[in-house]
Amino acid sequence: MTRERSALITATAFVVALSLRPALTAVGPVLPRIGQDLQLGEAAQGLLGTLPLLAFAVASPLVHLASRRFGMERAVFVSLLVLAASSALRPYTGQAGLWIGTAVVGAAIAVGNVLVPVIIKRDYSAHVSRATGVYTAFITGGAAVASILAVPIADAVDWRLSLAVWGGLAVLVAIVWLPRTLAPEPMPAPRTEDETPPVSVWRQPMAWLVTGFMGLQSTSFYLVVNWLPTIEITTGGVSERSTGVHLFVFQVFGLIGGLSIPFLLKHPTNQRAGLMTASTPILIALLGLLLAPHLAIVWAVIGGLGQGAGLVAALSLISIRGRGHHETTQLSGMAQAVGYALAASGPVLAGYLTQATGGWTVTLIVFATLAALQVTVGFVGGVDRRTPSTHQKPAPSGAAA
C-alpha cells in the first residue's frame, strides 16, 4: 500500500463524523410539524429529542466490549449500516416506529461517538487536539447542513423525507469506510515498563471531571439543537424558515470555534485556558436569549463558537487524560455514557418547565446556571494533578500527523 493511500484511508475517520449528527439535528427545525402531525405535546417532543441521548448513555459503556471482540473498524462499519437503516425507516413506520427507530439511531451513533476519537488518538498520536478539531469540524459541518436543509425538504415533500434522507449519507460513509475493515487493524502501542497500571476510570476523580464537562457541554448543545427554533418563534417572533438558518449559523460558527480552540489545549497537563474559553460563550448566549431574544442571530453566533470549542475541548480531554488505548476507550465510554445521560435530561426538562410555566424564562435561567457550572468544572478539571508517573510517555515526534 502506498504511503499516500495509507494516509487517505487513515483520514476516513474524519468522514465518519459527517454522519454522526444529521439524524439528530434534522429533527429540531421540523419538530413543531412532527408534534402537530403526531399530536405530541412539548414534553413529548422534548423526550423525542432526548431519546438518542438516552441511547448514547445505555450503549456507550458497552461499545468497548464490541470493539475488543470485533475490532474498532468493523464495529464502526456495522454501526453505519444500522444508522442508515434506522434513519430511513423511522419516519415511515408510524409513531411506534419513530420512537424505536430514534432509539436505534442513537445506539448506532454511540458506537462512532466512542470509537472514532480513540481511533484518531491512535492514528494521530502526535497531534491529538488538532486532529480532534478537524474531526469535530466534520461533525459540525454535517450537523449544519442537516439543520438548514430540514425545512426546505419538508416544504418540498414532508418532514418524513427530511429525516429519512440522512440514511443515504450513512450508506455513502459506510462505503468509504469499508477499506478499513478489510485491512488488519493497527495494534495499539505496547505499554511502557514504567507505566503505572491504570486504576478503573470509575474510581478516578479526574475521570469524573472529564465526564462532568462532557455532560454539561452536551446538555446545552442539545437544548439549543432541539429547542432554539421553538424558542425563537415563541419569544422573538422569528419565522420557521429563519430559525433553520439560525440553527445553521449556530453550527457553522461551531465549526469555527472547534478549529480555533486546539492551540489552547496543547499543554500536556493544563488545559484550563481552553476549557474556560470554550465554556463562556454558551453562558453568554443563554443569557442573551433570556434578556434580548430579538438578537437571536447574535446569540446563535456566540453560542455556536462556544459549542464547537466545547465539543473539541471535551473530546480532546478524553484523549489527553486517557493513559493507553484501553483506558482511553473506557474513559470515552464512561464520559459519553454518564455525560449523555445528563444531557438527556436537557430537552425533556426544557419541555416540562416551559409547559409548566407557560414560557421560556425559567427554562433559560436553569440552563444558564448549568452553563455557569460548566465554566466552574472547566476551571477545576483543566489541570491534571496526577503524579507524573501515572502519565504515558509523550508520543514520538514521528507519529502520524
Side-chain angles (χ1 to χ4, degrees):
M1 182 181 295
T2 66
R3 189 173 185 177
E4 291 76 12
R5 186 185 177 198
S6 177
L8 186 61
I9 291 177
T10 300
T12 56
F14 302 125
V15 179
V16 172
L18 287 174
S19 64
L20 296 182
R21 291 298 179 271
L24 307 184
T25 59
V27 174
V30 297
L31 192 56
R33 301 188 192 203
I34 297 173
Q36 182 177 10
D37 193 15
L38 300 180
Q39 298 182 335
L40 303 177
E42 284 86 351
Q45 292 176 44
L47 180 58
L48 184 65
T50 295
L51 194 55
L53 308 186
L54 294 173
F56 289 176
V58 172
S60 293
L62 306 176
V63 170
H64 80 280
L65 299 176
S67 171
R68 285 186 174 183
R69 182 174 179 84
F70 303 109
M72 291 192 290
E73 270 74 9
R74 292 180 180 85
V76 170
F77 179 73
V78 172
S79 75
L80 288 169
L81 297 181
V82 173
L83 175 61
S86 55
S87 296
L89 292 175
R90 65 170 172 164
Y92 298 106
T93 50
Q95 189 170 139
L98 179 66
W99 290 100
I100 295 171
T102 298
V104 176
V105 162
I109 292 174
V111 177
N113 283 345
V114 172
L115 293 183
V116 177
V118 179
I119 292 172
I120 286 175
K121 178 179 180 176
R122 182 196 67 196
D123 293 348
Y124 297 89
S125 57
H127 305 281
V128 172
S129 293
R130 188 188 308 170
T132 301
V134 175
Y135 163 69
T136 57
F138 275 79
I139 286 182
T140 304
V145 171
S147 296
I148 199 169
L149 291 182
V151 171
I153 294 174
D155 286 342
V157 184
D158 60 15
W159 64 264
R160 290 178 171 82
L161 182 63
S162 71
L163 299 188
V165 69
W166 304 109
L169 174 62
V171 170
L172 294 176
V173 172
I175 293 171
V176 172
W177 186 256
L178 181 60
R180 295 191 69 140
T181 69
L182 303 177
E185 184 163 326
M187 294 298 293
R191 183 185 298 172
T192 57
E193 292 182 2
D194 62 344
E195 182 185 342
T196 303
V199 176
S200 169
V201 292
W202 296 91
R203 295 167 55 192
Q204 296 180 26
M206 180 54 65
W208 283 102
L209 289 170
V210 172
T211 297
F213 189 87
M214 182 73 188
L216 289 167
Q217 68 86 25
S218 296
T219 299
S220 55
F221 173 79
Y222 286 103
L223 168 76
V224 173
V225 166
N226 282 282
W227 286 114
L228 181 62
T230 305
I231 293 172
E232 291 186 351
I233 292 171
T234 304
T235 64
V238 181
S239 70
E240 185 183 55
R241 185 174 291 270
S242 294
T243 64
V245 174
H246 291 179
L247 202 55
F248 174 77
V249 169
F250 174 81
Q251 304 284 4
V252 167
F253 277 87
L255 187 152
I256 295 172
L259 291 175
S260 302
I261 202 66
F263 79 97
L264 291 178
L265 302 169
K266 289 181 177 180
H267 195 280
T269 60
N270 190 339
Q271 292 78 39
R272 180 174 285 168
L275 299 188
M276 296 190 69
T277 299
S279 302
T280 303
I282 190 62
L283 172 60
I284 295 172
L286 290 171
L287 290 174
L289 285 172
L290 175 65
L291 301 175
H294 60 286
L295 298 177
I297 185 63
V298 175
W299 312 131
V301 169
I302 295 174
L305 289 171
Q307 282 304 310
L311 180 57
V312 172
L315 295 177
S316 295
L317 205 60
I318 291 171
S319 294
I320 292 168
R321 296 290 188 263
R323 299 163 297 184
H325 169 77
H326 291 301
E327 186 181 66
T328 303
T329 304
Q330 291 173 2
L331 178 58
S332 182
M334 171 187 172
Q336 299 198 51
V338 179
Y340 283 126
L342 175 62
S345 66
V348 173
L349 178 62
Y352 173 78
L353 289 175
T354 301
Q355 191 167 298
T357 62
W360 285 95
T361 299
V362 173
T363 302
L364 290 172
I365 291 173
V366 169
F367 282 89
T369 302
L370 292 176
L373 180 59
Q374 179 183 329
V375 175
T376 304
V377 172
F379 179 83
V380 176
V383 177
D384 190 353
R385 295 180 175 84
R386 294 177 295 184
T387 58
S389 62
T390 63
H391 294 290
Q392 273 192 299
K393 288 183 177 181
S397 58

